[in-house]
Amino acid sequence: MSIQLLISGISLGAVYALVAVGFAVVFSVMKFSNFAHGGMISACAYAAFYFQRAFTPPPPIYITILFSAAFGVLLSLVIDTIAYRRLRTKQSPNIYYFLASITMSILIVNFLTIFYGKNLYAFPPIFSSTTFHIGSIRFSSMDTLILLISLGILAILVFFIDKTRVGLAIRSVAINPQVSKLMGINPDVTIMTVFAIAGALAGISGVLLAMKLSVYPTLGSQMMIKGFVASVIGGLGSLSGAIIAAIFLGIFEIFLTFYLGSLSTPIVLFGAMLVFLAVRPSGIAGRFAQEKV
Amino acid sequence: MKPVILKTTNLHKNFGGVKAVSDFSFEVREGEILAIIGPNGAGKTTIFNLLSKIYEPDSGTIEFDGRDITKTSQIDVARLGISRTFQNARLFTGLNVLDNVKVALDYNARYSLIEAMLMLPRRWKYEKETSRAAKECLELLNLYEYADKRPDNLPYGLQRRVEIARALVVNPKVLMLDEPAAGLNPEEVFQLMDFLREIREKYPETAILIIEHRMDLVMNICEYIYVQDFGVTIAKGEPAEIQCNPHVLKAYLGEED
Amino acid sequence: MTAYQLSLVMLACISVITVSGVFTMTSLAGMFSLGQAAYMSICAYLTFVLARYLDWPIWFTAILGLLASGLVAFIISLPALKLRRDYFALLSVGFGEMVGAIVILLGKWTNAAVGFSKIPKVNGLVWIVLGITVLIVFMVRNLKYSRFGRMAIALKTDEIAARSFGINVYRLKVKIYVIASIIAGVGGICFGLRNRVIAPDSFDWSLSAEMQILLFFGGTNSLSGSAVSAASLKVLPELLKGVKLFGMELQDFKTIIYCVLIILIINFRTKGLMGEQEFSLAPIKKLAKKLNRQHKKEIAK
């Protein structure tokens, strides 16, 4: 029993990790919390849902994921252009980014609500049987698939950030934009890359969440809160911290839900987070994005 | 000799291996005007940040008015009467000039949140008092006509002066001015010197600490000078001594062949 | 006035109350919270549930409710306000979720998601609400022009500089947050009295976000500006009920239109419509003085 719970928790945590990393990537470079991420996830989930339904027979799942990721990239860049670019050139204070991102999120959710209603749409099943057995342990096919996909994507992303030139550019802009500019890194291109990555992650997590739960307008905003929690507990801006925190959060939540019921879970989660941040305000990674003196 | 008001012994501060300030010992007497000079990166602003407790010193002690303030918080140090300006005029842009000066007195005004919200008599009384003190200070620095302007709409020279007013209004025991003449034109520098002399007269007890690059100002106004280079005090003395000190010339002008 | 018009007036008033609360927090002290609706919820539920089950008079339970929201705000803020502003905003979202969950958990008394509707009818409610609104706006205005307002604006601009003028940034933030939450609670009680039903859904984070939007629309630092925008933007869509454009209900698009407006404002008129200006009586006063002077001159002649 508890191994199943553990797997299911890790699987949930892996999706949270995708969301959290999408958050953390933007935060590390832009130093603001991109609340629009939640809206993007919802929008991508809808896009994937209609894409899946548009074809008979439905396309294989990886095509849908690719489509959704591409859609996410596009959406993310559009949001950047509409909401943030002008703020950047004006060098507006942080709070405006914050407000703009929340507004974009609400905008998307409302848009979806008006045109598609508040109904839940179930994603068409991709497996004929929902579980499989290894030895005596029963696994949920969906959870396992989601776990594998998320871990794969996270691995690619970590490799990309750590080992490629573009990743290096992102890291250096995150640390010091002025110096990076002097070193010949174009900050605008880097910022666009970051938004593209965030968009792709939103797209992928949108499909996975849609498969796991179902499609509804506030899907993304709910998950975004979890992702944000993870990225904060992990230490805002730290990718590895966010991933670890997200997986712990997933496990914690599944066990809490199992033993306490789904109602008490948010209460305990919030309490735990408050205590954690009171004790260790810099998060797991301990890298505190300190405001400049 | 007047009593010592502020004194440090063997102050150290490192930033990730870089010695910003090392072994800094000095003392300031009541009413004295003292300058800390030195090339860029000599750790002068770090000394101010240590004295006003924005930074914690790695080792060493700071004594103020006979008591050890090495462990005192930034807020309490300010309340004890060490007041400062910043290198880049950190005025509160959301407040007008008068309010910028008033806000320095506000922690001390004795009316509560409830009294403030309901406009009770004590609010009136203390608001009046604060306004009067702030206006007096603005007048002293010739800023009265700008009282209801926003500081970010003022020319830089005036902003610097507003900052001095804000630091001065609390009648501090030690007033620290971080490069007050930076960005001023020569005429404004003369004005500044006049203001400093006036402040000296009006607040005879207040010790003034100045970080400055402009030698004309330092040499004309200050009674004692510490010269810093790479975090170390390389010379100290009265202006006349400093002017012909070979170490100072070397630090300032570089090796001359 | 018809009952419908009266209810619109109350709607506007409640909006003004809650936005004034957010004003103290965001415009004065620069704290950005998406959890203010939770304080409305706490206060409203306590007031009406206690009044119903303990048979206590409503004004008394209302005071208890307000004290409770102040107390909760105090406890939450002690760890939360030591954190960065982003963290704080996040915590506020989590806090809102938590309060919603608690309300459902206590379904035995609160009637869970269905909503609690055993709210007494108050006669002449509109006058009471109007009076409260005026009082709240008056108090927030006074706060802005007091030492607390000045210190708050100072810490919003530059915390380190604020500290170096003896301002206890942390304590001031806690105080302001508690005040803001109590004002939100007042809004919550009025909300319940007007609607006669409260449900966890009525107070979710989108309501908190809406308050922030209304505030920024009117002007980031203008109390009068945001009060006017709070009232008008809340009532306007009600007046547009039934108006159709291209075959679609215009009212459905209310939020979308607001969002687009906000994005435009943030990008093109960064400080909100009124910016930092207040609507003021100064021009009228000047005119009065001038007339007075002329009058005196005439007398002198």
Side-chain angles (χ1 to χ4, degrees), chain A residues 3-68:
Chain A
I3 289 196
Q4 272 166 40
L5 280 183
L6 193 66
I7 299 282
S8 145
I10 295 175
S11 158
L12 183 66
V15 185
Y16 287 170
L18 285 182
V19 181
V21 165
F23 237 101
V25 159
V26 174
F27 186 88
S28 68
V29 170
M30 304 288 298
K31 306 284 182 277
F32 83 97
S33 310
N34 182 18
F35 272 86
H37 204 77
M40 276 164 25
I41 292 174
S42 299
C44 291
Y46 273 89
F49 176 73
Y50 281 98
F51 180 77
Q52 191 85 350
R53 281 220 322 206
F55 301 95
T56 42
I61 190 68
Y62 67 90
I63 298 283
T64 311
I65 290 181
L66 277 181
F67 168 79
S68 177

Side-chain angles (χ1 to χ4, degrees), chain B residues 79 90 106 111 123 150, chain C residues 145 147 150 158 166 276:
Chain B
R79 292 182 176 191
R90 293 166 83 152
D106 274 336
Y111 62 90
R123 175 195 185 274
R150 284 298 167 108
Chain C
Y145 295 115
R147 70 187 186 105
R150 282 192 298 269
D158 190 336
E276 303 189 340

Side-chain angles (χ1 to χ4, degrees), chain A residues 33 90 96 98 114 270 289, chain C residues 32 84 86 89 91 252 267 270:
Chain A
S33 310
K90 272 196 199 167
Y96 290 107
F98 194 62
I114 286 179
F270 178 75
Chain C
F32 202 91
R84 279 175 52 104
D86 303 72
L91 278 178
D252 290 345
N267 279 303
T270 318

Side-chain angles (χ1 to χ4, degrees), chain A:
Chain A
M1 195 66 201
S2 56
I3 289 196
Q4 272 166 40
L5 280 183
L6 193 66
I7 299 282
S8 145
I10 295 175
S11 158
L12 183 66
V15 185
Y16 287 170
L18 285 182
V19 181
V21 165
F23 237 101
V25 159
V26 174
F27 186 88
S28 68
V29 170
M30 304 288 298
K31 306 284 182 277
F32 83 97
S33 310
N34 182 18
F35 272 86
H37 204 77
M40 276 164 25
I41 292 174
S42 299
C44 291
Y46 273 89
F49 176 73
Y50 281 98
F51 180 77
Q52 191 85 350
R53 281 220 322 206
F55 301 95
T56 42
I61 190 68
Y62 67 90
I63 298 283
T64 311
I65 290 181
L66 277 181
F67 168 79
S68 177
F71 182 81
V73 170
L74 200 70
L75 185 62
S76 183
L77 292 179
V78 168
I79 290 177
D80 175 42
T81 315
I82 295 176
Y84 308 138
R85 181 154 303 160
R86 209 165 278 101
L87 294 181
R88 267 206 301 285
T89 46
K90 272 196 199 167
Q91 297 185 317
S92 307
N94 227 316
I95 200 153
Y96 290 107
Y97 284 101
F98 194 62
L99 191 73
S101 73
I102 285 175
T103 313
M104 286 314 287
S105 196
I106 298 174
L107 185 67
I108 294 173
V109 171
N110 264 279
F111 196 80
L112 294 174
T113 314
I114 286 179
F115 287 98
Y116 303 107
K118 282 186 175 171
N119 301 343
L120 277 71
Y121 295 91
F123 215 75
I126 33 172
F127 294 108
S128 44
S129 91
T130 52
T131 55
F132 64 95
H133 290 261
I134 298 177
S136 62
I137 306 168
R138 196 167 53 126
F139 290 96
S140 148
S141 346
M142 188 65 85
D143 280 354
T144 317
L145 177 76
I146 288 174
L147 178 62
L148 292 179
I149 295 176
S150 316
L151 291 183
I153 299 288
L154 289 174
I156 295 172
L157 188 79
V158 170
F159 174 81
F160 181 77
I161 301 273
D162 272 359
K163 297 282 190 278
T164 63
R165 285 179 61 92
V166 185
L168 184 69
I170 291 175
R171 277 181 294 146
S172 68
V173 174
I175 294 166
N176 192 331
Q178 280 89 33
V179 174
S180 320
K181 205 170 178 179
L182 294 177
M183 306 296 282
I185 296 167
N186 185 338
D188 292 328
V189 173
T190 312
I191 287 170
M192 278 173 69
T193 319
V194 163
F195 274 109
I197 293 175
L201 287 168
I204 296 163
S205 44
V207 179
L208 298 182
L209 286 167
M211 293 193 313
K212 196 174 170 71
L213 307 164
S214 47
V215 185
Y216 53 95
T218 53
L219 170 75
S221 352
Q222 283 171 4
M223 292 308 127
M224 173 192 74
I225 293 168
K226 300 286 167 51
F228 193 11
V229 171
S231 73
V232 167
I233 290 180
L236 270 176
S238 153
L239 296 194
S240 47
I243 294 172
I244 295 169
I247 289 177
F248 271 113
L249 187 70
I251 298 171
F252 191 52
E253 190 178 330
I254 290 284
F255 275 89
L256 273 182
T257 316
F258 185 75
Y259 290 109
L260 293 179
S262 61
L263 267 180
S264 321
T265 308
I267 305 170
V268 179
L269 270 183
F270 178 75
M273 188 169 71
L274 207 59
V275 172
F276 180 86
L277 286 178
V279 177
R280 201 183 158 97
S282 48
I284 293 175
R287 255 194 292 152
F288 193 46
Q290 206 175 12
E291 278 170 89
K292 217 181 154 201
V293 173

Side-chain angles (χ1 to χ4, degrees), chain C residues 34-65:
Chain C
L34 291 175
Q36 288 318 93
Y39 291 103
M40 295 174 72
S41 172
I42 293 176
C43 198
Y45 270 104
L46 265 179
T47 305
F48 300 123
V49 171
L50 285 183
R52 169 86 174 83
Y53 289 100
L54 297 177
D55 264 333
W56 286 346
I58 193 114
W59 60 265
F60 181 65
T61 57
I63 291 175
L64 287 183

Side-chain angles (χ1 to χ4, degrees), chain B residues 66-163:
Chain B
R67 56 186 278 196
D68 186 8
I69 58 161
T70 321
K71 294 269 178 288
T72 313
S73 76
Q74 191 196 346
I75 296 166
D76 289 334
V77 165
R79 292 182 176 191
L80 283 173
I82 300 183
S83 184
R84 69 170 292 179
T85 68
F86 293 89
Q87 211 169 57
N88 40 356
R90 293 166 83 152
L91 291 168
F92 303 120
T93 44
L95 298 169
N96 66 23
V97 168
L98 180 63
D99 284 346
N100 258 288
V101 178
K102 278 167 88 173
V103 81
L105 294 163
D106 274 336
Y107 76 86
N108 204 18
R110 278 183 212 85
Y111 62 90
S112 70
L113 205 55
I114 307 285
E115 284 169 310
M117 290 177 85
L118 295 176
M119 286 263 191
L120 298 183
R122 262 155 60 112
R123 175 195 185 274
W124 290 108
K125 189 181 147 209
Y126 283 103
E127 277 298 294
K128 225 183 231 169
E129 237 168 67
T130 328
S131 287
R132 193 186 42 77
K135 282 177 183 163
E136 246 170 48
C137 198
L138 285 179
E139 255 160 32
L140 175 68
L141 284 157
N142 244 341
L143 285 166
Y144 193 72
E145 52 184 310
Y146 306 105
D148 51 3
K149 293 266 190 316
R150 284 298 167 108
D152 40 340
N153 296 336
L154 293 180
Y156 191 67
L158 286 178
Q159 289 189 26
R160 300 307 305 254
R161 233 195 282 161
V162 176
E163 233 202 334

